[in-house]
Amino acid sequence: MALGKYTRVDNRRSSSSYCSTVTIVVFVALCLVGVWMLTSSSVVPVQNVDVPQENKGEVKERESRSEVTEQASEGNENNESTDGSTKQFEDKPGDLPEDATKGDGDVNNNNNQDEEKPEGKPEEKPEEKPEEKIEEKPEDGGNQTEDGDSKVENAESNSEGGGNDENKSDSDEKQKKSDTDDNDKKEENTEEAKDGERIEEKVEENDNKESGDGSEKKGNDQSKNQSSSEVYPSGAQSELLNETTTQSGAWSTQASESKNEKETQRSSNQNTVYSWKLCNSTAGYDFIPCLDNFQAIRSLRSTKHYEHRERHCPEEAPTCLVPLPEGYKRSIEWPKSREKIWYSNVPHTKLAQVKGHQNWVKVTGEYLTFPGGGTQFKHGALHYIDFIQETVPDIAWGKRSRVVLDVGCGVASFGGFLFDRDVLTMSLAPKDEHEAQVQFALERGIPAISAVMGTKRLPFPGRVFDIVHCARCRVPWHIEGGKLLLELNRMLRPGGYFVWSATPIYQKLPEDVEIWEAMKKLTKAMCWEVVSISKDTVNGVGIAIYKKPTSNECYEQRSKNEPPTCATTDDPNAAWNVPLEACMHKVPTDASERGSQWPEKWPARLDKAPYWLSSSQVGVYGKAAPEDFSADYEHWKRVVSKSYLNGMGINWSSVRNVMDMRSVYGGFAAALKDLNIWVMNVVSIDSPDTLPIIYERGLFGIYHDWCESFSTYPRTYDLLHADHLFSNLKKRCNIVAVFAEVDRILRPEGKLIVRDSVDIINELESMAKSMQWEVRFSYSKENEGLLCVQKSMWRPNESETLKYAIA
């Protein structure tokens, strides 16, 4: 009985063990199937991954799949890598349409990682930047190694100890990814058939447009509909792409490149660690290095001729960053900025206290407001401007008279309202003469520079301004043989007008009478014709208008050679650090010489080669000068229209103050003429002197040496453009200091566009990242590169005291 009882118990146990075994086996089988399915779905690339396709047919063992699954679970589904692509792109090196991966969303609908790729030519091979690959996927953690190697190496590190053969998971991953190649090819071919044109350049761009500005999307939509462009952005890139996404027609990978190729692309400057500090100076957030060199100012023997307001640059340009005013905000957009600006951006009230009754500027809550008045036009600049033309109709604002110099501009309301008459005005005033007047002007969106008429020529060519204006500018024109007025004569175009609105014209105080008599004598000796002396009854001021002669007849008939005519060896275009001389340059008489004729009326003068450009002259680019001029204009029209306006994701309605840091013929500025912007064309002192051509076409600019700081306040430009500037400067300047100067004059959230060699692009991109700027895109082809970065609000914590800038 006992035996039988125990026997039944054993049978029952055996049956139970068998059932448990079957259950476990089924459960394990289901788990394996589930793991296999998860593994299969997780390695299907949302975007083609940059892993080589060698050994596609290798069969992998089951245990290696768990390694792939582990890798996929750690962020491998975010496979929009910048390293390259799969074999399908290598097999078919044709143009990539803008949304070549559009169909991926149908295959991987749950991953939400669809991304359009910009078109590209197969021969274009953008330079890949190893250090970017960490920063491009901050949310992915450690899937990218520091030197930019592909996910093959990451699989090895992630599966450490998980298998006997370290290459098993890699090949298995390739096997999974290759399964979708055919589908991707079909989708590519479908999209390629819809787009028949190739683009000249491709872009690397992210989705992070200007904060709070919905118009950025509109710019992207325009670029997507564009069939041909030089810089073509992806309109729907993932939010993960906060940095550049280097694209190429062939989508080659770093894994497929040679070691030497990678070492070449990884230039030494990318390994440089930039350590930025704040500039500690007396001027604080208004620091201008060459105007705030108090050490040099203290050593001056005299300040009688405003030497202390002239440029005195330190021996070494600073490499520190200027701090931001507390509460700084994005500048108000034009044209509203003409009437008001944020007080926190330019927190100065002295000028409002001193000149408030003259309607220069007023403090209104959190704004500084500008009623449009001035010392000589308290009732508004437009009435004053129209009164001038009514007095002398030949002035013809915006037609005959296009480029104006406003000396002692105040807050530049005169120049600001001349935009309504299609006139471009270069306004200048000394720094701190009335506390931040030039800074007010620039914050308002009006062209201005900090400069003074002292002992040196102003940095402009001779015979370029159509009109020179001075409204009670307090410049002693008559002293020292009329040296300062003769400087205006140098810059004034023959047949141009000098408009002088000052108290000596209409007041009878002894000092005014004395100045008026001296001016009458001087202007007569200079052969200036008195065109009009009138009084504006509304503003209660007098205005005298003079005209410069168009021939030398008057000069030759003078009984005395006073002021003397300049020597024939004296070049009127020489203006960089050239001392002033009390002499007059003769008027050109040869019909082929610049200044012998008045330019064509605006806007016809913009796109026509100047009459004095001869086919026998060789232009900057090696063609005959007129052809060179035309080719440059056509080039920039194409780049601006197909690339800058539609392909960069820039909201141009927020751009007002623009600088072309290395202008040649002014083609970049000319191509932007239909926008509500103005462009300061800078001609480097070591470049061909083409600035007279820029003025001749109705634009303006200035000479400058970029090894020194520019004569403007910090945060005064919305966009800087540099075409092959930095590679030239590197021969003689500290590029780090030049980039610090770029940071100084660029407004937060402002853009820098650079076209230069790949090495320079890489170096500048590294600097920009070290300042926490946003890299909007970076592109390279052969040895040429294109970079667009956006300045951030970031400022370093440490500071550097500049002894020469401490008062």
Side-chain angles (χ1 to χ4, degrees), residues 38-67:
L38 287 173
T39 304
S40 299
S41 62
S42 65
V43 299
V44 173
V46 175
Q47 179 178 326
N48 297 288
V49 184
D50 52 340
V51 179
Q53 297 298 304
E54 298 85 20
N55 305 322
K56 282 173 73 173
E58 276 190 36
V59 179
K60 305 314 285 180
E61 294 161 359
R62 179 75 64 180
E63 55 265 34
S64 68
R65 287 179 176 165
S66 63
E67 299 172 13

PDB file of all heavy atoms in Angstrom, residues 38-67:
ATOM      1  N   LEU A  38      11.811  42.516 -31.915  1.00  0.00           N
ATOM      2  CA  LEU A  38      12.260  43.821 -31.414  1.00  0.00           C
ATOM      3  C   LEU A  38      13.590  44.216 -32.031  1.00  0.00           C
ATOM      4  O   LEU A  38      13.815  45.359 -32.413  1.00  0.00           O
ATOM      5  CB  LEU A  38      12.394  43.781 -29.892  1.00  0.00           C
ATOM      6  CG  LEU A  38      11.084  43.756 -29.103  1.00  0.00           C
ATOM      7  CD1 LEU A  38      11.353  43.542 -27.632  1.00  0.00           C
ATOM      8  CD2 LEU A  38      10.320  45.056 -29.334  1.00  0.00           C
ATOM      9  N   THR A  39      14.478  43.229 -32.119  1.00  0.00           N
ATOM     10  CA  THR A  39      15.790  43.504 -32.714  1.00  0.00           C
ATOM     11  C   THR A  39      15.646  43.919 -34.153  1.00  0.00           C
ATOM     12  O   THR A  39      16.283  44.861 -34.632  1.00  0.00           O
ATOM     13  CB  THR A  39      16.695  42.265 -32.628  1.00  0.00           C
ATOM     14  OG1 THR A  39      16.781  41.867 -31.269  1.00  0.00           O
ATOM     15  CG2 THR A  39      18.082  42.574 -33.180  1.00  0.00           C
ATOM     16  N   SER A  40      14.793  43.210 -34.892  1.00  0.00           N
ATOM     17  CA  SER A  40      14.609  43.526 -36.314  1.00  0.00           C
ATOM     18  C   SER A  40      14.073  44.928 -36.484  1.00  0.00           C
ATOM     19  O   SER A  40      14.516  45.687 -37.331  1.00  0.00           O
ATOM     20  CB  SER A  40      13.639  42.518 -36.959  1.00  0.00           C
ATOM     21  OG  SER A  40      14.168  41.213 -36.863  1.00  0.00           O
ATOM     22  N   SER A  41      13.088  45.327 -35.674  1.00  0.00           N
ATOM     23  CA  SER A  41      12.490  46.655 -35.851  1.00  0.00           C
ATOM     24  C   SER A  41      13.419  47.741 -35.374  1.00  0.00           C
ATOM     25  O   SER A  41      13.442  48.830 -35.920  1.00  0.00           O
ATOM     26  CB  SER A  41      11.149  46.750 -35.118  1.00  0.00           C
ATOM     27  OG  SER A  41      11.369  46.565 -33.732  1.00  0.00           O
ATOM     28  N   SER A  42      14.227  47.429 -34.330  1.00  0.00           N
ATOM     29  CA  SER A  42      15.055  48.494 -33.772  1.00  0.00           C
ATOM     30  C   SER A  42      16.227  48.835 -34.648  1.00  0.00           C
ATOM     31  O   SER A  42      16.762  49.920 -34.572  1.00  0.00           O
ATOM     32  CB  SER A  42      15.565  48.090 -32.386  1.00  0.00           C
ATOM     33  OG  SER A  42      16.420  46.978 -32.495  1.00  0.00           O
ATOM     34  N   VAL A  43      16.664  47.913 -35.494  1.00  0.00           N
ATOM     35  CA  VAL A  43      17.815  48.217 -36.325  1.00  0.00           C
ATOM     36  C   VAL A  43      17.439  48.677 -37.699  1.00  0.00           C
ATOM     37  O   VAL A  43      18.294  48.981 -38.500  1.00  0.00           O
ATOM     38  CB  VAL A  43      18.762  47.000 -36.430  1.00  0.00           C
ATOM     39  CG1 VAL A  43      19.285  46.598 -35.070  1.00  0.00           C
ATOM     40  CG2 VAL A  43      18.051  45.835 -37.112  1.00  0.00           C
ATOM     41  N   VAL A  44      16.131  48.732 -37.994  1.00  0.00           N
ATOM     42  CA  VAL A  44      15.746  49.310 -39.286  1.00  0.00           C
ATOM     43  C   VAL A  44      16.035  50.796 -39.221  1.00  0.00           C
ATOM     44  O   VAL A  44      15.508  51.490 -38.370  1.00  0.00           O
ATOM     45  CB  VAL A  44      14.254  49.094 -39.575  1.00  0.00           C
ATOM     46  CG1 VAL A  44      13.831  49.845 -40.824  1.00  0.00           C
ATOM     47  CG2 VAL A  44      13.977  47.605 -39.757  1.00  0.00           C
ATOM     48  N   PRO A  45      16.907  51.331 -40.065  1.00  0.00           N
ATOM     49  CA  PRO A  45      17.320  52.735 -39.904  1.00  0.00           C
ATOM     50  C   PRO A  45      16.216  53.685 -40.296  1.00  0.00           C
ATOM     51  O   PRO A  45      15.590  53.548 -41.316  1.00  0.00           O
ATOM     52  CB  PRO A  45      18.502  52.863 -40.875  1.00  0.00           C
ATOM     53  CG  PRO A  45      18.247  51.805 -41.904  1.00  0.00           C
ATOM     54  CD  PRO A  45      17.546  50.686 -41.206  1.00  0.00           C
ATOM     55  N   VAL A  46      15.994  54.658 -39.419  1.00  0.00           N
ATOM     56  CA  VAL A  46      15.067  55.733 -39.750  1.00  0.00           C
ATOM     57  C   VAL A  46      15.639  56.552 -40.879  1.00  0.00           C
ATOM     58  O   VAL A  46      14.962  56.990 -41.768  1.00  0.00           O
ATOM     59  CB  VAL A  46      14.854  56.615 -38.496  1.00  0.00           C
ATOM     60  CG1 VAL A  46      13.982  57.808 -38.860  1.00  0.00           C
ATOM     61  CG2 VAL A  46      14.213  55.801 -37.399  1.00  0.00           C
ATOM     62  N   GLN A  47      16.931  56.795 -40.791  1.00  0.00           N
ATOM     63  CA  GLN A  47      17.646  57.459 -41.876  1.00  0.00           C
ATOM     64  C   GLN A  47      18.846  56.595 -42.162  1.00  0.00           C
ATOM     65  O   GLN A  47      19.389  55.946 -41.281  1.00  0.00           O
ATOM     66  CB  GLN A  47      18.066  58.873 -41.440  1.00  0.00           C
ATOM     67  CG  GLN A  47      18.831  59.591 -42.513  1.00  0.00           C
ATOM     68  CD  GLN A  47      19.176  60.999 -42.048  1.00  0.00           C
ATOM     69  OE1 GLN A  47      18.395  61.590 -41.341  1.00  0.00           O
ATOM     70  NE2 GLN A  47      20.307  61.495 -42.455  1.00  0.00           N
ATOM     71  N   ASN A  48      19.286  56.579 -43.375  1.00  0.00           N
ATOM     72  CA  ASN A  48      20.349  55.663 -43.741  1.00  0.00           C
ATOM     73  C   ASN A  48      21.581  55.900 -42.895  1.00  0.00           C
ATOM     74  O   ASN A  48      22.101  56.988 -42.807  1.00  0.00           O
ATOM     75  CB  ASN A  48      20.695  55.856 -45.213  1.00  0.00           C
ATOM     76  CG  ASN A  48      19.514  55.505 -46.078  1.00  0.00           C
ATOM     77  OD1 ASN A  48      19.166  54.352 -46.219  1.00  0.00           O
ATOM     78  ND2 ASN A  48      18.870  56.536 -46.624  1.00  0.00           N
ATOM     79  N   VAL A  49      22.043  54.842 -42.250  1.00  0.00           N
ATOM     80  CA  VAL A  49      23.126  54.949 -41.302  1.00  0.00           C
ATOM     81  C   VAL A  49      24.448  54.785 -42.025  1.00  0.00           C
ATOM     82  O   VAL A  49      24.563  54.050 -42.993  1.00  0.00           O
ATOM     83  CB  VAL A  49      22.976  53.866 -40.215  1.00  0.00           C
ATOM     84  CG1 VAL A  49      24.050  54.009 -39.152  1.00  0.00           C
ATOM     85  CG2 VAL A  49      21.602  53.965 -39.592  1.00  0.00           C
ATOM     86  N   ASP A  50      25.446  55.488 -41.500  1.00  0.00           N
ATOM     87  CA  ASP A  50      26.732  55.529 -42.171  1.00  0.00           C
ATOM     88  C   ASP A  50      27.612  54.351 -41.766  1.00  0.00           C
ATOM     89  O   ASP A  50      28.670  54.508 -41.198  1.00  0.00           O
ATOM     90  CB  ASP A  50      27.431  56.831 -41.850  1.00  0.00           C
ATOM     91  CG  ASP A  50      27.484  57.069 -40.368  1.00  0.00           C
ATOM     92  OD1 ASP A  50      26.686  56.457 -39.652  1.00  0.00           O
ATOM     93  OD2 ASP A  50      28.339  57.864 -39.941  1.00  0.00           O
ATOM     94  N   VAL A  51      27.148  53.130 -42.033  1.00  0.00           N
ATOM     95  CA  VAL A  51      27.951  51.946 -41.748  1.00  0.00           C
ATOM     96  C   VAL A  51      28.276  51.271 -43.068  1.00  0.00           C
ATOM     97  O   VAL A  51      27.406  51.078 -43.898  1.00  0.00           O
ATOM     98  CB  VAL A  51      27.187  50.963 -40.830  1.00  0.00           C
ATOM     99  CG1 VAL A  51      28.002  49.729 -40.563  1.00  0.00           C
ATOM    100  CG2 VAL A  51      26.837  51.660 -39.528  1.00  0.00           C
ATOM    101  N   PRO A  52      29.528  50.883 -43.293  1.00  0.00           N
ATOM    102  CA  PRO A  52      29.889  50.228 -44.556  1.00  0.00           C
ATOM    103  C   PRO A  52      29.100  48.958 -44.756  1.00  0.00           C
ATOM    104  O   PRO A  52      28.715  48.278 -43.805  1.00  0.00           O
ATOM    105  CB  PRO A  52      31.375  49.941 -44.382  1.00  0.00           C
ATOM    106  CG  PRO A  52      31.840  50.869 -43.300  1.00  0.00           C
ATOM    107  CD  PRO A  52      30.673  51.085 -42.410  1.00  0.00           C
ATOM    108  N   GLN A  53      28.905  48.606 -46.031  1.00  0.00           N
ATOM    109  CA  GLN A  53      28.049  47.465 -46.353  1.00  0.00           C
ATOM    110  C   GLN A  53      28.833  46.211 -46.730  1.00  0.00           C
ATOM    111  O   GLN A  53      28.306  45.309 -47.354  1.00  0.00           O
ATOM    112  CB  GLN A  53      27.134  47.853 -47.520  1.00  0.00           C
ATOM    113  CG  GLN A  53      26.179  49.001 -47.178  1.00  0.00           C
ATOM    114  CD  GLN A  53      25.266  48.602 -46.051  1.00  0.00           C
ATOM    115  OE1 GLN A  53      24.584  47.597 -46.156  1.00  0.00           O
ATOM    116  NE2 GLN A  53      25.249  49.365 -44.983  1.00  0.00           N
ATOM    117  N   GLU A  54      30.107  46.185 -46.366  1.00  0.00           N
ATOM    118  CA  GLU A  54      30.859  44.977 -46.665  1.00  0.00           C
ATOM    119  C   GLU A  54      30.281  43.802 -45.883  1.00  0.00           C
ATOM    120  O   GLU A  54      29.734  43.959 -44.811  1.00  0.00           O
ATOM    121  CB  GLU A  54      32.332  45.159 -46.279  1.00  0.00           C
ATOM    122  CG  GLU A  54      33.049  46.277 -47.039  1.00  0.00           C
ATOM    123  CD  GLU A  54      32.828  47.627 -46.388  1.00  0.00           C
ATOM    124  OE1 GLU A  54      32.474  47.643 -45.205  1.00  0.00           O
ATOM    125  OE2 GLU A  54      32.972  48.621 -47.098  1.00  0.00           O
ATOM    126  N   ASN A  55      30.455  42.592 -46.384  1.00  0.00           N
ATOM    127  CA  ASN A  55      30.024  41.358 -45.719  1.00  0.00           C
ATOM    128  C   ASN A  55      28.533  41.348 -45.446  1.00  0.00           C
ATOM    129  O   ASN A  55      28.077  40.927 -44.396  1.00  0.00           O
ATOM    130  CB  ASN A  55      30.788  41.159 -44.396  1.00  0.00           C
ATOM    131  CG  ASN A  55      32.276  41.175 -44.603  1.00  0.00           C
ATOM    132  OD1 ASN A  55      32.767  40.667 -45.597  1.00  0.00           O
ATOM    133  ND2 ASN A  55      33.017  41.757 -43.650  1.00  0.00           N
ATOM    134  N   LYS A  56      27.754  41.855 -46.417  1.00  0.00           N
ATOM    135  CA  LYS A  56      26.309  41.914 -46.220  1.00  0.00           C
ATOM    136  C   LYS A  56      25.717  40.528 -46.034  1.00  0.00           C
ATOM    137  O   LYS A  56      24.712  40.358 -45.351  1.00  0.00           O
ATOM    138  CB  LYS A  56      25.645  42.590 -47.427  1.00  0.00           C
ATOM    139  CG  LYS A  56      25.782  44.079 -47.427  1.00  0.00           C
ATOM    140  CD  LYS A  56      25.267  44.696 -48.700  1.00  0.00           C
ATOM    141  CE  LYS A  56      23.778  44.661 -48.747  1.00  0.00           C
ATOM    142  NZ  LYS A  56      23.250  45.397 -49.900  1.00  0.00           N
ATOM    143  N   GLY A  57      26.303  39.515 -46.658  1.00  0.00           N
ATOM    144  CA  GLY A  57      25.671  38.210 -46.645  1.00  0.00           C
ATOM    145  C   GLY A  57      26.029  37.322 -45.483  1.00  0.00           C
ATOM    146  O   GLY A  57      25.583  36.170 -45.413  1.00  0.00           O
ATOM    147  N   GLU A  58      26.864  37.818 -44.572  1.00  0.00           N
ATOM    148  CA  GLU A  58      27.262  36.972 -43.450  1.00  0.00           C
ATOM    149  C   GLU A  58      26.080  36.653 -42.554  1.00  0.00           C
ATOM    150  O   GLU A  58      25.272  37.485 -42.231  1.00  0.00           O
ATOM    151  CB  GLU A  58      28.342  37.688 -42.627  1.00  0.00           C
ATOM    152  CG  GLU A  58      29.735  37.489 -43.190  1.00  0.00           C
ATOM    153  CD  GLU A  58      30.790  37.991 -42.219  1.00  0.00           C
ATOM    154  OE1 GLU A  58      30.579  37.825 -41.002  1.00  0.00           O
ATOM    155  OE2 GLU A  58      31.794  38.522 -42.685  1.00  0.00           O
ATOM    156  N   VAL A  59      25.989  35.368 -42.150  1.00  0.00           N
ATOM    157  CA  VAL A  59      24.924  34.948 -41.240  1.00  0.00           C
ATOM    158  C   VAL A  59      25.459  35.030 -39.816  1.00  0.00           C
ATOM    159  O   VAL A  59      26.523  34.517 -39.525  1.00  0.00           O
ATOM    160  CB  VAL A  59      24.475  33.504 -41.549  1.00  0.00           C
ATOM    161  CG1 VAL A  59      23.385  33.065 -40.586  1.00  0.00           C
ATOM    162  CG2 VAL A  59      23.994  33.408 -42.985  1.00  0.00           C
ATOM    163  N   LYS A  60      24.722  35.732 -38.988  1.00  0.00           N
ATOM    164  CA  LYS A  60      25.191  35.923 -37.616  1.00  0.00           C
ATOM    165  C   LYS A  60      24.517  34.933 -36.680  1.00  0.00           C
ATOM    166  O   LYS A  60      23.412  34.472 -36.931  1.00  0.00           O
ATOM    167  CB  LYS A  60      24.882  37.352 -37.146  1.00  0.00           C
ATOM    168  CG  LYS A  60      25.433  38.444 -38.046  1.00  0.00           C
ATOM    169  CD  LYS A  60      26.850  38.255 -38.487  1.00  0.00           C
ATOM    170  CE  LYS A  60      27.845  38.544 -37.420  1.00  0.00           C
ATOM    171  NZ  LYS A  60      29.214  38.364 -37.844  1.00  0.00           N
ATOM    172  N   GLU A  61      25.168  34.669 -35.577  1.00  0.00           N
ATOM    173  CA  GLU A  61      24.648  33.742 -34.602  1.00  0.00           C
ATOM    174  C   GLU A  61      23.665  34.433 -33.679  1.00  0.00           C
ATOM    175  O   GLU A  61      23.684  35.643 -33.519  1.00  0.00           O
ATOM    176  CB  GLU A  61      25.825  33.166 -33.788  1.00  0.00           C
ATOM    177  CG  GLU A  61      26.738  32.320 -34.657  1.00  0.00           C
ATOM    178  CD  GLU A  61      28.100  32.127 -34.035  1.00  0.00           C
ATOM    179  OE1 GLU A  61      28.336  32.675 -32.941  1.00  0.00           O
ATOM    180  OE2 GLU A  61      28.886  31.436 -34.636  1.00  0.00           O
ATOM    181  N   ARG A  62      22.822  33.616 -33.052  1.00  0.00           N
ATOM    182  CA  ARG A  62      21.698  34.154 -32.302  1.00  0.00           C
ATOM    183  C   ARG A  62      22.139  35.051 -31.150  1.00  0.00           C
ATOM    184  O   ARG A  62      21.543  36.058 -30.878  1.00  0.00           O
ATOM    185  CB  ARG A  62      20.881  32.983 -31.739  1.00  0.00           C
ATOM    186  CG  ARG A  62      19.690  33.413 -30.910  1.00  0.00           C
ATOM    187  CD  ARG A  62      18.549  33.924 -31.758  1.00  0.00           C
ATOM    188  NE  ARG A  62      18.025  32.877 -32.599  1.00  0.00           N
ATOM    189  CZ  ARG A  62      17.030  33.059 -33.445  1.00  0.00           C
ATOM    190  NH1 ARG A  62      16.476  34.245 -33.578  1.00  0.00           N
ATOM    191  NH2 ARG A  62      16.605  32.062 -34.189  1.00  0.00           N
ATOM    192  N   GLU A  63      23.249  34.670 -30.472  1.00  0.00           N
ATOM    193  CA  GLU A  63      23.611  35.437 -29.289  1.00  0.00           C
ATOM    194  C   GLU A  63      24.068  36.847 -29.631  1.00  0.00           C
ATOM    195  O   GLU A  63      23.962  37.753 -28.804  1.00  0.00           O
ATOM    196  CB  GLU A  63      24.721  34.730 -28.499  1.00  0.00           C
ATOM    197  CG  GLU A  63      25.966  34.427 -29.321  1.00  0.00           C
ATOM    198  CD  GLU A  63      25.945  33.019 -29.883  1.00  0.00           C
ATOM    199  OE1 GLU A  63      24.833  32.571 -30.197  1.00  0.00           O
ATOM    200  OE2 GLU A  63      26.993  32.379 -29.969  1.00  0.00           O
ATOM    201  N   SER A  64      24.577  37.081 -30.846  1.00  0.00           N
ATOM    202  CA  SER A  64      25.037  38.430 -31.200  1.00  0.00           C
ATOM    203  C   SER A  64      23.886  39.388 -31.370  1.00  0.00           C
ATOM    204  O   SER A  64      24.035  40.586 -31.296  1.00  0.00           O
ATOM    205  CB  SER A  64      25.870  38.396 -32.482  1.00  0.00           C
ATOM    206  OG  SER A  64      25.060  38.072 -33.586  1.00  0.00           O
ATOM    207  N   ARG A  65      22.673  38.828 -31.602  1.00  0.00           N
ATOM    208  CA  ARG A  65      21.515  39.699 -31.788  1.00  0.00           C
ATOM    209  C   ARG A  65      21.181  40.429 -30.488  1.00  0.00           C
ATOM    210  O   ARG A  65      20.666  41.528 -30.500  1.00  0.00           O
ATOM    211  CB  ARG A  65      20.315  38.885 -32.242  1.00  0.00           C
ATOM    212  CG  ARG A  65      20.463  38.440 -33.697  1.00  0.00           C
ATOM    213  CD  ARG A  65      19.297  37.610 -34.165  1.00  0.00           C
ATOM    214  NE  ARG A  65      19.441  37.284 -35.566  1.00  0.00           N
ATOM    215  CZ  ARG A  65      18.746  36.357 -36.179  1.00  0.00           C
ATOM    216  NH1 ARG A  65      17.845  35.668 -35.493  1.00  0.00           N
ATOM    217  NH2 ARG A  65      18.929  36.111 -37.445  1.00  0.00           N
ATOM    218  N   SER A  66      21.407  39.777 -29.383  1.00  0.00           N
ATOM    219  CA  SER A  66      21.128  40.443 -28.117  1.00  0.00           C
ATOM    220  C   SER A  66      22.033  41.646 -27.924  1.00  0.00           C
ATOM    221  O   SER A  66      21.655  42.638 -27.306  1.00  0.00           O
ATOM    222  CB  SER A  66      21.318  39.462 -26.962  1.00  0.00           C
ATOM    223  OG  SER A  66      22.665  39.025 -26.902  1.00  0.00           O
ATOM    224  N   GLU A  67      23.260  41.568 -28.484  1.00  0.00           N
ATOM    225  CA  GLU A  67      24.165  42.710 -28.406  1.00  0.00           C
ATOM    226  C   GLU A  67      23.621  43.877 -29.227  1.00  0.00           C
ATOM    227  O   GLU A  67      23.675  45.025 -28.792  1.00  0.00           O
ATOM    228  CB  GLU A  67      25.543  42.318 -28.922  1.00  0.00           C
ATOM    229  CG  GLU A  67      26.205  41.207 -28.125  1.00  0.00           C
ATOM    230  CD  GLU A  67      27.473  40.727 -28.798  1.00  0.00           C
ATOM    231  OE1 GLU A  67      27.932  41.426 -29.725  1.00  0.00           O
ATOM    232  OE2 GLU A  67      27.982  39.685 -28.400  1.00  0.00           O
TER     233      GLU A  67
END
